Amino acid sequence: MKKIILACLASFAVVATAAPISFDFKDPKGVNAVQFHLDSLLEPISGSANGVSGMVSFDPAAPASTAGTILITANSLMVSNATMTEHLHGSKWLDVGSHPEITFELTSLSDAKTTNNTTSAVAQGKFTLKGVTQEIAVPVRITYLADALEKRTKPGNKGDLLVIRGEFTVQRAEFGIQSGQNEDKVSPEITLKVAIVGSAPKA
Amino acid sequence: MSTPSQHPRPSRARLALRLIAAFCLVFSIVYWVNKGAHTGWSMDRVPIEQLDEITGIEYITYDDRFVPGIEWLGGGIGIATLFFATSLFFRSKPTHSNS
């Protein structure tokens, strides 16, 4: 009888360990950002958006089942020139007043290959920018750092970290951003580089 | 009886405008070079790359300071040229001698 109970407890422990972990991507250290880059006439327009939040569910035993949503506050996008930042937020470009959020909803991971604690895969999902939603595929690298939260925050703060990295390109015309305009001055392609970390404190 | 001399005296306005033009030119070039001779657009905040040691994430923070760009230099040179061009409208005054 004892053996049966122990076996049940052991199997329960395995199931509990293998359960997906929810990671919160609102980073208290302010590291999370999406960098964007557009080629332009005099110099490339580069900037970042640090208003990142969202939840991602990750199972270390089954990385391919990763799911979740990442949100970016459109108003947090900035470049190094204040006037250009104002133009970027304006109605002709991102219209942040009417479309305050940029989102990526991860629907599935394909071609997932895991080496040590890092999974390389293609993230399929719905990307929404300026109110337009498109299905996109983003090559990503997901690194699971077990028990690393304490090192990054404060002693006694037990938990795991999940780092997501990816880079993809979108056509601004597909999202209604100055469609077909100024293409000789500003590239029609926007390159987005994502490097974000989520944390999952352990109770 | 007075007669015009061989060397006309430059008008004060012409001299003043040319001095302003020279100041604008020198100031804009020296300021631009001193602030890093940035060949892109002017910056109100300067991006600085940082590294999060635990995650290895490279991220950007901004340092709030002004770095003049190429349009700032162009503006300075333009204003200097404008002052110099305006000075050409002021003719030199002929000096009169009483001999």
Side-chain angles (χ1 to χ4, degrees), chain A residues 5-19:
Chain A
I5 292 167
L6 281 171
C8 285
L9 283 172
S11 61
F12 176 75
V14 168
V15 169
T17 309

Side-chain angles (χ1 to χ4, degrees), chain B residues 11-24 79-90:
Chain B
S11 79
R12 281 185 182 175
R14 185 174 186 158
L15 186 66
L17 286 167
R18 288 191 176 181
L19 282 171
I20 293 168
F23 174 78
C24 285
I79 290 168
T81 308
L82 202 68
F83 275 115
F84 183 80
T86 310
S87 79
L88 297 174
F89 290 102
F90 294 88

Side-chain angles (χ1 to χ4, degrees), chain A residues 4 6-7 20-21 32-33 37 42 68 101 104 117 126 136 148 174 177 182-183 196 202:
Chain A
I4 294 167
L6 281 171
I21 307 165
N32 283 349
H37 182 96
L42 180 63
E101 278 183 344
F104 180 73
N117 61 346
K126 290 174 186 170
I136 61 165
E174 289 178 4
I177 303 168
N182 301 316
E183 289 190 351
I196 52 177
K202 283 175 185 166

Side-chain angles (χ1 to χ4, degrees), chain A residues 1 4 10 14 24-25 29 36 48 63 65 74 78 80 82 86 114 124 135 140 154-156 162 174 186 189-190 200:
Chain A
M1 186 65 184
I4 294 167
V14 168
D24 184 359
F25 279 78
K29 291 188 89 178
F36 60 92
S48 61
S65 64
M78 64 161 76
S80 49
E86 271 179 36
T114 304
Q124 317 280 341
E135 288 272 354
V140 290
K154 57 186 178 185
L162 190 72
E174 289 178 4
V186 182
E189 283 186 348
I190 307 170

Side-chain angles (χ1 to χ4, degrees), chain A residues 168-187:
Chain A
F168 61 105
T169 301
V170 294
Q171 301 291 324
R172 61 181 167 91
E174 289 178 4
F175 295 91
I177 303 168
Q178 293 268 301
S179 180
Q181 291 178 46
N182 301 316
E183 289 190 351
D184 53 334
K185 293 174 190 158
V186 182
S187 170

Side-chain angles (χ1 to χ4, degrees), chain A residues 29 31 35 42-43 47-48 78-82 85 145 151-152 161 163 165 195-197, chain B residues 38-47 49 52 54-60 62 70-71:
Chain A
K29 291 188 89 178
V31 163
Q35 292 177 34
L42 180 63
E43 65 173 349
S48 61
M78 64 161 76
V79 293
S80 49
N81 183 295
T85 303
L145 300 170
K151 289 182 208 162
R152 197 163 174 267
L161 296 174
V163 180
R165 290 184 176 87
I196 52 177
V197 57
Chain B
H38 178 57
T39 52
W41 300 115
S42 294
M43 296 190 283
D44 304 291
R45 43 186 166 242
V46 180
E49 273 201 6
D52 184 73
I54 304 298
T55 61
I57 291 176
E58 286 176 358
Y59 64 103
I60 288 173
Y62 289 92
I70 204 80
E71 89 281 15

